[in-house]
Amino acid sequence: MKAVGWARSFPVSNGARAARQWTADHLASLSWSREAPDTAHSVLLTVSELVTNAHLHALGSAQLVLTWDGDCLHVSVADADPRLPTPREPGSGATSGRGLGIVQALADAWDVHSFHGGKAITACFHPVFGNGPHTR
């Protein structure tokens, strides 16, 4: 199978909602999305978290790339903030700080890497036909 992919930039004004809708439209074109609804929902929540974080921390556009290679759907969000994020434990009353923890819980794998002038966070999702994230 050849890999397929899509890319789009989401300025702050479009927000995470537009990114989720765009992602949902592309997920619908993948043969497994209806048979693996938990995986599709995990992808959408991850897109929302990563695009929101890019808007909040980089104060600019988020570049979203989806790539399906036949085994894994790679969800990558890049922004212009060169600071690499690290998961943290927010206090019980905190209203933020859980995004990477959510991504870590939902994705089969994830990583962050820097590039000239920014960073990208990529999460990998293997379609799950059954009992939720992290099972095959």
Side-chain angles (χ1 to χ4, degrees):
M1 169 185 192
K2 288 178 140 179
V4 295
W6 306 274
R8 182 165 171 204
S9 181
F10 290 92
V12 175
S13 62
N14 284 4
R17 183 173 186 248
R20 280 192 311 273
Q21 184 58 54
W22 181 84
T23 300
D25 292 345
H26 290 294
L27 279 174
S29 73
L30 298 173
S31 62
W32 57 263
S33 67
R34 285 192 181 92
E35 291 86 36
D38 286 345
T39 303
H41 290 297
S42 293
V43 168
L44 294 174
L45 183 54
T46 296
V47 164
S48 184
E49 290 296 329
L50 293 179
V51 169
T52 297
N53 282 351
H55 289 158
L56 287 174
H57 299 292
L59 304 175
S61 293
Q63 289 73 44
L64 172 58
V65 177
L66 305 174
T67 309
W68 170 243
D69 65 9
D71 179 51
C72 174
L73 178 70
H74 303 272
V75 175
S76 185
V77 175
D79 63 50
D81 184 354
R83 295 173 294 164
L84 300 181
T86 56
R88 59 185 166 126
E89 291 292 325
S92 62
T95 59
S96 65
R98 293 174 180 82
L100 282 182
I102 291 170
V103 172
Q104 187 171 12
L106 295 174
D108 292 297
W110 73 279
D111 71 349
V112 59
H113 60 277
S114 58
F115 60 87
H116 181 69
K119 68 176 170 307
I121 300 173
T122 302
C124 172
F125 295 87
H126 299 284
V128 176
F129 306 100
N131 298 327
H134 306 288
T135 59
R136 289 183 104 185

